[in-house]
Amino acid sequence: MTSAEAIIRCELNGKAINISNGAETAGQSGLVRCREEDTGHVQREQELRDGKYLGQERMFDREGRLQRERTVNERGNSHGRVAEFWPNGQVRREETADNGRTQGAVRRFDATGRVERVSFHGDGQELFHVETNGRGQPTRLLCPRASVLPEDRKLCGFDGATDTLLHAENGTPTAQLRYDQGRLLSATEWTSGGLVSAQQLVVEGRRVHRSFHTEGGRSVLREERVFAPDERALRDTRGPLWSTRRYGASGQLIEQRGFDGGREVQVEHWYLNGSVRERSTWSGTGEQARLLREMHRDDGSLLRRDQLTKDQWPVGTQQAFHDNGRLAMEEQYSAPDARGRTRLTARKQWDEAGKLVADDTILEDGSRQRRAGGLDS
């Protein structure tokens, strides 16, 4: 006979009762005990008060071994101690509930009674937890802003700043966390091979997040994000940025961005040979915002210098340069119209020796009007 076919018989104070029949439980008080008819094993015990299930409740497995016990309030929610058990009778998990919501300490144990996880809940959220492997080494850690349990005192730096190593199940170190008074000051994470994979720290009040990759058996920095000073937790990836940097496969800097009030104000790019590739700087705000962008060749010489509106329309003076550094072309653009658009109004061109070879006025229909005289002979 399968468990789906098992017949369960219940009794109240030693007398048979059909708990599905409200007429039989109405006004009754005492302990309801239900057993599987074939085995006689207890499956459930519930306290009945004036026809309502209120008080102690205990649930058992098919073999009659206690699985879970709790106290139920008038709303049918857990209230007070809630415990789960291993088949050998050891406590598996215990907590305190407040009208169905976990409140305070929660502890989880393995079948031998060793603590696997300790946590603390308050204000509807988990404020602290620590998990350990079979060797008793911490594997995961979340610290509260104020001490809530004896277990958090040393790990979270409430007895003074401290470094805590986290480990994998096999004992391999995976991270090092530095806490002081519950605040994470730095965190370094390692790959299974012992190489740095990520790092977070606080520098001059700013959160710094770094990510790494493995190259030739070594850890190489790939990206760095620096946040503007705020009160967010170190691992929080939100908030206005101060700067970002990206690095090439060999660790050389290839991109840097600067921010002001969360708004990007500067961008720099480099070639893999180390020469600057682009440097762009924003000035002004709103409709008056302007981008000055300088493009370079891979030998570092200036290729172009442009000015753009916030919508990336050219405005004012645009310049291009020969390989020898001399000015090759200069264009003039109008101020933005009501739709934010600009138009080319003039263009000059020079050869590599610096001789002016073209001096054009650009008319509204796009045609050009070249100066007849005045060019260098």
Side-chain angles (χ1 to χ4, degrees):
M1 180 178 295
T2 66
S3 58
E5 299 170 327
I7 298 175
I8 306 297
R9 304 291 188 187
C10 299
E11 59 182 36
L12 174 62
N13 299 329
K15 296 181 180 180
I17 187 174
N18 181 1
I19 61 173
S20 300
N21 187 344
E24 293 192 28
T25 59
Q28 299 291 327
S29 297
L31 183 64
V32 174
R33 180 178 285 113
C34 299
R35 301 176 184 271
E36 185 178 332
E37 185 176 64
D38 286 349
T39 64
H41 292 151
V42 176
Q43 299 295 286
R44 180 170 58 198
E45 290 181 347
Q46 291 179 276
E47 193 173 349
L48 195 64
R49 298 181 188 175
D50 196 23
K52 295 181 180 179
Y53 290 109
L54 182 64
Q56 189 71 28
E57 176 188 277
R58 309 178 80 199
M59 309 300 288
F60 301 80
D61 66 13
R62 184 72 183 278
E63 303 303 319
R65 296 172 298 204
L66 181 61
Q67 282 187 316
R68 186 171 187 263
E69 66 178 9
R70 63 173 181 159
T71 301
V72 178
N73 63 14
E74 63 278 359
R75 297 183 179 181
N77 296 327
S78 298
H79 194 77
R81 181 175 182 265
V82 179
E84 299 174 8
F85 299 87
W86 290 98
N88 65 2
Q90 288 278 4
V91 174
R92 185 172 190 164
R93 185 178 186 276
E94 63 179 359
E95 66 174 73
T96 300
D98 181 7
N99 191 31
R101 188 172 71 172
T102 301
Q103 187 73 22
V106 180
R107 289 181 169 83
R108 191 180 73 204
F109 307 83
D110 67 13
T112 69
R114 182 187 65 82
V115 177
E116 290 183 324
R117 190 178 198 273
V118 178
S119 63
F120 186 91
H121 292 249
D123 300 324
Q125 60 182 327
E126 188 175 75
L127 303 177
F128 164 71
H129 71 241
V130 58
E131 297 182 15
T132 56
N133 59 21
R135 306 180 183 199
Q137 298 167 321
T139 59
R140 296 183 63 190
L141 177 65
L142 170 68
C143 288
R145 296 305 300 270
S147 181
V148 292
L149 289 173
E151 287 89 344
D152 69 30
R153 295 296 307 174
K154 182 177 180 181
L155 293 173
C156 298
F158 291 113
D159 293 330
T162 185
D163 292 312
T164 297
L165 275 176
L166 301 185
H167 302 77
E169 288 299 321
N170 63 5
T172 301
T174 59
Q176 178 171 288
L177 311 179
R178 183 168 183 78
Y179 275 98
D180 185 19
Q181 299 302 311
R183 189 172 185 86
L184 183 61
L185 301 182
S186 65
T188 301
E189 301 173 20
W190 296 291
T191 66
S192 58
L195 298 177
V196 175
S197 62
Q199 187 179 59
Q200 298 94 37
L201 66 159
V202 178
V203 178
E204 296 181 348
R206 303 183 182 99
R207 289 174 288 131
V208 179
H209 289 191
R210 295 170 179 158
S211 60
F212 300 76
H213 81 295
T214 300
E215 181 75 25
R218 64 190 182 94
S219 183
V220 178
L221 179 62
R222 288 306 301 268
E223 184 178 24
E224 178 185 84
R225 297 167 66 84
V226 181
F227 295 86
D230 57 26
E231 293 302 314
R232 295 179 186 271
L234 177 59
R235 289 187 181 273
D236 198 326
T237 58
R238 300 168 299 172
L241 287 166
W242 178 270
S243 67
T244 64
R245 290 180 176 179
R246 290 198 308 115
Y247 298 82
S250 299
Q252 72 275 30
L253 183 63
I254 59 174
E255 179 187 281
Q256 179 171 277
R257 296 176 183 268
F259 300 81
D260 183 8
R263 182 174 62 91
E264 186 175 272
V265 294
Q266 188 176 53
V267 179
E268 295 175 282
H269 290 94
W270 287 265
Y271 291 99
L272 292 178
N273 67 6
S275 295
V276 65
R277 183 172 188 166
E278 174 189 345
R279 182 174 287 114
S280 300
T281 304
W282 283 97
S283 62
T285 58
E287 296 301 321
Q288 301 304 312
R290 297 289 183 266
L291 176 66
L292 175 62
R293 180 174 63 195
E294 294 182 337
M295 307 296 294
H296 297 258
R297 300 177 180 85
D298 61 5
D299 63 358
S301 62
L302 186 60
L303 176 64
R304 286 192 61 86
R305 181 183 290 122
D306 301 318
Q307 292 188 73
L308 304 171
T309 68
K310 70 179 185 66
D311 297 319
Q312 301 294 297
W313 285 86
V315 66
T317 303
Q318 321 293 311
Q319 296 175 319
F321 298 84
H322 290 294
D323 288 350
N324 63 6
R326 289 182 179 274
L327 188 61
M329 183 176 67
E330 185 173 89
E331 296 178 329
Q332 295 293 329
Y333 281 80
S334 68
D337 61 19
R339 301 175 64 182
R341 298 179 178 181
T342 64
R343 71 174 187 88
L344 179 63
T345 60
R347 179 190 290 122
K348 291 182 179 181
Q349 293 176 276
W350 293 265
D351 64 16
E352 293 185 351
K355 178 182 177 182
L356 181 66
V357 296
D359 187 356
D360 299 328
T361 297
I362 311 301
L363 305 179
E364 291 188 12
D365 63 357
S367 61
R368 63 183 179 176
Q369 187 177 66
R370 179 158 294 181
R371 286 182 58 188
L375 300 184
D376 295 339
S377 57

